Amino acid sequence: MLILAGAGENKPQKSGNGKGHGKRHQNRHKHGQNNKTASDFTIALAGNANVGKSVIFNDLTGSNQIIGNWPGKTIERAEGKLHFEGYDIDVIDLPGIYSFSTYSLEEIVSREYIALEKPDVVINVVDAAVLERNLFFTMQLIEMEVPLVICVNQIDIAKQKGINIDTEKLQAALGVPVVATVAVRGEGLHELIETATEIAEKEVNKAATLEYGSEVENKIQELTDLIQSKNLDLGYPSRWVAIKLIENDPEIQKLVKSKSEEVADIAYVLAEEIENIHREPSFSVIASERYSLANRIAEGAQMQSEIKITFSEKLDRIVTHRVYGYITSALVIGGLLLWTFVVGNFFSGLLSDAFSFFQPVDPQVSGGLASVLWNGAFGGIVAGVTLVIPFVVPFYIMLSLIENSGILTRVAFMMDTLMHKIGLHGKALIPMILGYGCNVPAIDQTRILETRRERLLASFAITFAPCAARTIIVLGLVAVFVNIWWAIALYAIDLAIIFIMGRIALKVVPGESTGLIMEMHSFKVPSLSTALKQTWTRTKSLIYLVLPIYVIASALIQALYVLGVLGPINAALTPITVMWLGLPAISGILLIFGVVRKEFVLLMLVTLVGPNLAAFLTPVQFIVLALVSMLFIPCLSTITILIREFGVKAATYISAANLVTAIVIGGIAFRVLSLVF
């Protein structure tokens, strides 16, 4: 049997053909003579966003995945292993992009990897339902002269829309193998990898040269011949370089200029001639030529039957409606948060009880230093487990399901106008929602945004979002000892503060906001297995970062308290905590502990004064302490990832803004609430 390693029990299996298998072994022997290990080659998955690349990647590699960053970049790199018919294959899932321009890090990363690292095969995944739009990128891959296989995915959705793809005609037009798949059901994946293996064995690329209109094509050919005659050794195919020069691609212009001023000057003249003929920028002319060619190829390869309005299209009209769309968005966001907190609270209680069976998890503030250090370390482990597993895992599972279903992109679209008020576009809503589970993965997820400015603004807003640990404080202090309505009021106040601080940051951070460009694929039933794999990938990276900080910082802060180091600091903070905020004298210590772990504010308070907090705090103090704890300096884990993503300076400014906001808003709240209670 031939089985795709890492694919589940329901994945495609096929009996091996003796003849083909023998040929494959002959090729392996032949490659061995050429000093190439055919049993260890690389496949890169490339294509637009939301075409099913990640589903294919997860099906092929299963749990054999490594998630990291591209060298020197903040863009995520997904790499996995596949064992197929005796071959050990590296599979790289490239970022979803729409072209090889240099407008985003994702485009640069994908372009450099394909051109310079030269994977043995590139599988271009396209969406069968929007073939013409996807072929725009396919033609750029063909221009790159890479060994290519086209994977026409989601053919089931295309058929529901009355679109039938003739893969043989498409293959003839493009000059590269074409395989139809339904990745969510595993259909066609065996044939896809088998075809990719054959391409890797042949080590040749038979893609057709796609020619544009005569005025453009003549100049491309003239420039291609000139580049070849100069032997510039650019690392990219000559025709592809010629096209990029005519498009006025700044990176390629810079590269060519460093090798030959003459070629760069001639390219500039040719591009100018094209602009004069068409009376529009040369990059726009090339784009038009590509779309025109993509249209002809798509029309020749697909047949449109009677068009019926599908359930997906009807649903799309509702969730993007100018009225119903906002209601749907609110229900999705509210449902996600409600699911997280209900499920999270249930499992958090179970896990806390389980750990309490072994040892109390409350902070230890007296006794021997070794005992205090152990208690702090144990408490850090408990905090990581009781927060990550109960709150973050359910959040990630549900987020992955609604993300893969297609509804999350609609929510982002509906929220685009509102998000622009704080200098962001709708896509930023995704990591901001994530911030209600935990700020750390939310800041990490801001990588989906195009510019550093947008990522910085989004991360700044996220640090004010009440994560699971802050929710514990609000519920434990306000909902229990005041009432649930004041707890809800704190969330409303927090949303207003996020908006206000976002507006201020928009004025402070220089730069311009970008528009929203996001693929809105058709609605589909999400794959639970894919959601679970995405959840594990996200949770795994979170555990690696958060858990060590929790353990070390919890032990250290308790030791400092026992050694008497925090006492003088607490006394120095009294003018702020007591006189301005109206809180008890021990509040400085509570907030210092809260910098390590937000829930420490509540745990430390119970440790110091006992469980009957109502005898120690007034209703006003409960609300003010919860509010200040929500807005105060981010926890150490959040500060750590801010430093990793943006540097010490930016992390310091963000933390200082949180601190000042907490003190100012807390003092105002104390005075206003004193009039109410």
Side-chain angles (χ1 to χ4, degrees):
M1 300 293 288
L2 305 179
I3 304 174
L4 296 180
E9 295 178 355
N10 62 338
K11 298 302 180 286
Q13 301 181 4
K14 184 177 179 182
S15 299
N17 181 298
K19 182 178 178 180
H21 194 64
K23 177 184 176 183
R24 198 163 284 112
H25 276 287
Q26 290 172 11
N27 282 330
R28 289 178 67 186
H29 178 69
K30 173 183 171 184
H31 283 306
Q33 292 175 336
N34 292 331
N35 295 320
K36 175 182 171 70
T37 306
S39 60
D40 188 17
F41 60 87
T42 302
I43 292 175
L45 301 175
N48 294 176
N50 298 313
V51 294
K53 277 193 311 91
S54 295
V55 176
I56 294 174
F57 176 74
N58 288 325
D59 271 351
L60 297 183
T61 60
S63 60
N64 302 315
Q65 300 176 8
I66 300 173
I67 308 296
N69 285 353
W70 292 88
K73 305 289 193 300
T74 57
I75 302 301
E76 193 173 82
R77 174 187 178 121
E79 182 175 356
K81 295 284 185 182
L82 166 67
H83 183 74
F84 180 77
E85 294 191 355
Y87 291 89
D88 291 320
I89 306 170
D90 285 330
V91 183
I92 307 292
D93 185 14
L94 296 174
I97 59 174
Y98 299 89
S99 72
F100 280 133
S101 64
T102 54
Y103 298 123
S104 72
L105 276 176
E106 287 90 346
E107 292 167 342
I108 294 173
V109 160
S110 297
R111 181 166 102 177
E112 289 181 350
Y113 177 78
I114 291 175
L116 305 180
E117 297 295 327
K118 300 187 184 304
D120 296 277
V121 184
V122 175
I123 295 179
N124 175 213
V125 186
V126 301
D127 185 347
V130 283
L131 182 62
E132 177 185 340
R133 188 167 66 204
N134 281 217
L135 287 178
F136 181 83
F137 180 61
T138 302
M139 288 186 289
Q140 294 178 67
L141 284 169
I142 291 174
E143 290 164 1
M144 280 275 231
E145 299 177 11
V146 297
L148 192 62
V149 176
I150 307 298
C151 169
V152 183
N153 192 33
Q154 301 178 161
I155 56 171
D156 55 331
I157 296 176
K159 287 180 180 178
Q160 291 172 8
K161 295 182 176 181
I163 301 172
N164 294 290
I165 306 295
D166 189 326
T167 55
E168 292 184 0
K169 287 183 178 179
L170 185 60
Q171 181 168 306
L174 296 174
V176 296
V178 177
V179 179
T181 64
V182 181
V184 293
R185 297 202 296 263
E187 295 177 12
L189 294 186
H190 186 283
E191 182 185 352
L192 177 66
I193 299 304
E194 195 170 45
T195 303
T197 302
E198 291 171 358
I199 293 296
E201 288 175 337
K202 292 175 183 177
E203 295 184 311
V204 294
N205 177 43
K206 295 184 178 180
T209 298
L210 303 176
E211 296 187 355
Y212 300 123
S214 57
E215 312 115 355
V216 174
E217 185 59 40
N218 290 339
K219 289 176 173 51
I220 290 174
Q221 193 57 53
E222 179 183 344
L223 194 53
T224 302
D225 294 339
L226 176 63
I227 293 169
Q228 289 175 340
S229 68
K230 296 292 185 180
N231 295 318
L232 299 182
D233 189 26
L234 299 169
Y236 298 96
S238 298
R239 178 178 171 84
W240 184 84
V241 172
I243 294 172
K244 299 307 288 183
L245 284 173
I246 290 175
E247 286 182 310
N248 287 322
D249 184 289
E251 291 295 321
I252 298 302
Q253 284 179 326
K254 183 179 177 182
L255 174 64
V256 172
K257 203 167 187 178
S258 67
K259 301 280 187 176
S260 172
E261 291 272 359
E262 179 189 354
V263 172
D265 291 341
I266 292 175
Y268 178 81
V269 171
L270 293 175
E272 202 170 43
E273 288 176 4
I274 289 176
E275 290 180 348
N276 291 333
I277 293 172
H278 293 270
R279 295 185 178 180
E280 58 180 323
S282 57
F283 72 85
S284 179
V285 175
I286 296 294
S288 298
E289 292 286 335
R290 283 201 185 104
Y291 274 121
S292 176
L293 190 54
N295 175 262
R296 291 201 301 272
I297 294 173
E299 282 189 348
Q302 65 185 17
M303 295 168 287
Q304 177 74 60
S305 58
E306 183 181 351
I307 300 176
K308 297 180 181 179
I309 299 177
T310 63
F311 173 75
S312 174
E313 291 171 325
K314 292 177 181 177
L315 187 60
D316 200 20
R317 291 178 181 177
I318 295 174
V319 298
T320 57
H321 189 270
R322 61 182 180 179
V323 176
Y324 302 135
Y326 291 107
I327 297 174
T328 304
S329 298
L331 290 174
V332 170
I333 297 171
L336 176 61
L337 298 178
L338 184 63
W339 155 269
T340 302
F341 294 140
V342 171
V343 175
N345 282 327
F346 174 73
F347 283 108
S348 181
L350 290 181
L351 289 168
S352 295
D353 292 341
F355 277 106
S356 297
F357 178 78
F358 296 100
Q359 177 181 321
V361 295
D362 293 332
Q364 182 178 331
V365 293
S366 62
L369 185 59
S371 175
V372 170
L373 288 172
W374 162 246
N375 177 269
F378 180 75
I381 295 171
V382 172
V385 173
T386 57
L387 285 178
V388 172
I389 293 177
F391 288 100
V392 176
V393 171
F395 184 89
Y396 276 154
I397 292 174
M398 186 58 69
L399 182 70
S400 296
L401 289 174
I402 64 175
E403 184 179 19
N404 294 332
S405 70
I407 195 169
L408 194 57
T409 53
R410 272 76 178 179
V411 173
F413 169 73
M414 294 305 300
M415 295 293 106
D416 184 56
T417 301
L418 178 63
M419 296 299 290
H420 265 290
K421 300 294 184 182
I422 57 175
L424 300 169
H425 53 57
K427 200 190 297 186
L429 184 71
I430 297 172
M432 289 191 69
I433 292 175
L434 206 57
Y436 281 81
C438 181
N439 288 179
V440 175
I443 292 171
D444 183 68
Q445 191 70 12
T446 60
R447 295 176 180 184
I448 66 173
L449 304 179
E450 282 73 15
T451 66
R452 185 182 186 276
R453 177 180 183 270
E454 289 177 338
R455 293 182 57 234
L456 189 61
L457 289 172
S459 297
F460 177 64
I462 287 167
T463 59
F464 288 100
C467 62
R470 287 164 169 158
T471 296
I472 292 173
I473 298 174
V474 174
L475 296 179
L477 290 178
V478 181
V480 173
F481 292 99
V482 185
N483 61 56
I484 188 63
W485 299 111
W486 277 106
I488 293 173
L490 287 184
Y491 279 102
I493 292 170
D494 185 75
L495 284 173
I497 290 171
I498 289 175
F499 181 80
I500 293 169
M501 295 306 296
R503 292 288 296 175
I504 294 173
L506 177 61
K507 302 296 183 183
V508 173
V509 180
E512 296 183 1
S513 300
T514 60
L516 174 64
I517 302 176
M518 180 182 284
E519 183 79 17
M520 293 215 298
H521 60 77
S522 302
F523 283 108
K524 59 187 177 185
V525 178
S527 166
L528 180 59
S529 62
T530 299
L532 291 175
K533 288 169 185 173
Q534 289 176 340
T535 298
W536 167 240
T537 299
R538 290 166 169 169
T539 307
K540 180 172 61 175
S541 60
L542 176 63
I543 291 173
Y544 292 161
L545 177 66
V546 171
L547 198 58
I549 295 173
Y550 267 174
V551 172
I552 296 170
S554 297
L556 181 61
I557 197 73
Q558 286 184 209
L560 291 175
Y561 179 81
V562 172
L563 293 172
V565 176
L566 300 185
I569 300 176
N570 181 61
L573 293 175
T574 300
I576 296 175
T577 56
V578 178
M579 298 175 65
W580 172 249
L581 298 176
L583 297 174
I586 64 168
S587 299
I589 289 177
L590 301 182
L591 295 175
I592 292 170
F593 270 79
V595 174
V596 178
R597 287 162 41 192
K598 287 298 179 183
E599 76 280 9
F600 253 180
V601 172
L602 178 58
L603 294 176
M604 193 65 183
L605 181 61
V606 173
T607 301
L608 293 175
V609 306
N612 187 16
L613 300 182
F616 185 73
L617 296 173
T618 66
V620 172
Q621 289 175 327
F622 275 120
I623 296 171
V624 172
L625 181 59
L627 179 60
V628 172
S629 300
M630 287 175 68
L631 304 175
F632 199 60
I633 298 174
C635 68
L636 282 181
S637 300
T638 302
I639 294 173
T640 301
I641 196 169
L642 284 171
I643 293 172
R644 189 191 76 182
E645 297 295 317
F646 305 106
V648 174
K649 184 178 179 181
T652 302
Y653 281 137
I654 291 175
S655 300
N658 277 254
L659 175 61
V660 171
T661 303
I663 293 173
V664 171
I665 299 298
I668 295 172
F670 168 64
R671 283 150 181 80
V672 172
L673 291 171
S674 296
L675 301 175
V676 176
F677 287 91

